[in-house]
Amino acid sequence: PASALVSIFDKPLPRSSFVTKSLLVVGSTIQPSPAAAFASGASTSTTSAASLRRNDGINTDKTTIVYQPLSVTVSGVKVPVAAWHPPLKDSTTTSTMQPLNSYKHRISVQKIGKKLAGWNFIPSFANRNFDLLPGAQNSNLRVVTSIQQQQLPSSPVVILSHGYLGSRFDLYPLAETLASEGFLVLSPEYPESLADSFDAEIIDKNSGDIQTIIDRDMITNQLLSTLSQTWQVTPTSFGIVGHSLGCGTAERSGDDSWIRVCLAGFPSSRGNGSKCLFVGSTNDGAVSVNRALSVLSDNNYVNLDEDRIRSMIAEGQQFPPKSSLVFAGANAPNHISFLSEATNDAMVDFLSPLLPVARGLKIPVLDFDKYQLSRDSRAFGDVLTPLVVGYLKQTMKV
């Protein structure tokens, strides 16, 4: 119940920090565990983040990963796919590759206005391009790229599924870290992307009628087909990470052998043989975590607190097949705290003048107004990324 959740909120802390509490849900009983503070720049943040991250501080050599801007063709339309992976073990191509200077990110105000407010009058010159810095959240990584497409490794494959008005770069720090751990990570652009890189409506040239509307499932299915038939990749296992609307994509994609991670959306309700990690927050203003609690209870999720997760990762203990962590507190992460700092800051800095207008017109802003104040993606990412990576490494047997 909402009252039970509100009753455990802490008093607000300074905006330089946020408090996280996990909720232990047993049937209909909700019990808060001891809180742990992660303060930006404070000693508590460093200790907590380091306890979840890989211990890379000992080795000063940077880990090289490869980024490739790929695409798949769906009903004649080219759909962008961002790919990250480790260099092939028997490959010498990394010596001829160039350091990646930036990821090319685009924000379409046209797309945002159309999707959120039904506006069709915004000109294309209002759109804007951004350069996102590789390795922004992990200085131990060296990201390289090549003009020519390189062979992709046959390794564990993780698909990233962005949310409504998200982009293929929303979770790129997570993608980089997964690639450094041996995963092939593929992040397709879905039709609702704010990049507006393709038109999902295919118009019949003769009649002018809509012939086909490209949807998420069509893109995911084509990606899987291209992966095996064109790119000649034989995955050793599959995982998928969804944020918000992307959780629905994660639920529908693949079979019960796929490992799922659902962030700030809804947990998987697949059968007991499936595995899923759900992470939510009571401070999510776009998708109420209250709606997820019954799904967690009905599907036998084991709700973990942060201390237990850290000890499990450190000691190599097995995660429960269905695990969940719900953050609570006045400064718990909001809906877009789960995404990369660079993509969030680009969005907020670009659109901040429009936020008061959106509020006045009661247009949903997906928590960008909250993030404008909190700016907590980096601090939360130091907690979230090691958790997701640790879960996927264990359940996908990397």
Side-chain angles (χ1 to χ4, degrees), residues 253-260 270-275:
S253 301
D255 55 28
D256 285 351
S257 69
W258 281 40
I259 309 301
R260 293 169 175 80
R270 282 179 172 253
N272 290 331
S274 64
K275 296 180 180 180

Side-chain angles (χ1 to χ4, degrees), residues 161-244:
S161 178
H162 67 73
Y164 193 74
L165 291 179
S167 86
R168 64 190 185 278
F169 297 118
D170 275 355
L171 296 171
Y172 82 84
L174 172 62
E176 292 175 338
T177 304
L178 284 169
S180 73
E181 295 285 358
F183 292 87
L184 166 58
V185 184
L186 302 171
S187 183
E189 200 86 65
Y190 286 108
E192 306 84 8
S193 167
L194 54 72
D196 199 20
S197 53
F198 63 92
D199 193 342
E201 295 183 352
I202 300 175
I203 307 298
D204 185 276
K205 295 181 179 179
N206 296 322
S207 66
D209 297 331
I210 297 177
Q211 186 178 27
T212 306
I213 298 179
I214 298 173
D215 61 23
R216 286 175 166 253
D217 293 342
M218 293 170 65
I219 292 172
T220 303
N221 291 336
Q222 184 59 54
L223 175 60
L224 294 174
S225 175
T226 303
L227 182 66
S228 60
Q229 297 179 17
T230 304
W231 297 338
Q232 299 295 302
V233 172
T234 304
T236 58
S237 55
F238 277 105
I240 184 167
V241 179
H243 173 260
S244 190

Side-chain angles (χ1 to χ4, degrees), residues 315-398:
E315 299 171 10
Q317 298 178 21
Q318 293 292 315
F319 277 90
K322 292 187 176 180
S323 303
S324 66
L325 177 64
V326 178
F327 292 89
N331 293 278
N334 59 66
H335 190 67
I336 64 168
S337 302
F338 291 77
L339 310 181
S340 77
E341 180 181 47
T343 52
N344 279 345
D345 287 354
M347 173 67 97
V348 172
D349 292 345
F350 183 34
L351 298 181
S352 57
L354 299 178
L355 286 177
V357 177
R359 293 191 198 99
L361 296 175
K362 297 182 178 180
I363 299 172
V365 292
L366 306 177
D367 274 359
F368 279 102
D369 52 343
K370 289 185 178 181
Y371 184 79
Q372 189 179 26
L373 299 174
S374 67
R375 302 283 179 142
D376 57 356
S377 282
R378 177 178 288 270
F380 185 52
D382 284 341
V383 177
L384 181 66
T385 296
L387 166 61
V388 173
V389 172
Y391 179 81
L392 290 175
K393 284 184 65 177
Q394 186 183 102
T395 53
M396 296 178 70
K397 296 179 173 57
V398 178

Side-chain angles (χ1 to χ4, degrees), residues 104-141:
K104 303 304 179 183
H105 178 54
R106 181 171 183 261
I107 295 179
S108 169
V109 182
Q110 283 181 313
K111 187 67 167 285
I112 296 172
K114 182 177 181 179
K115 288 293 184 180
L116 292 182
W119 296 339
N120 294 306
F121 55 82
I122 300 177
S124 60
F125 64 74
N127 302 334
R128 185 173 167 186
N129 297 320
F130 293 86
D131 292 325
L132 308 180
L133 183 65
Q137 196 138 347
N138 190 340
S139 60
N140 289 321
L141 293 180

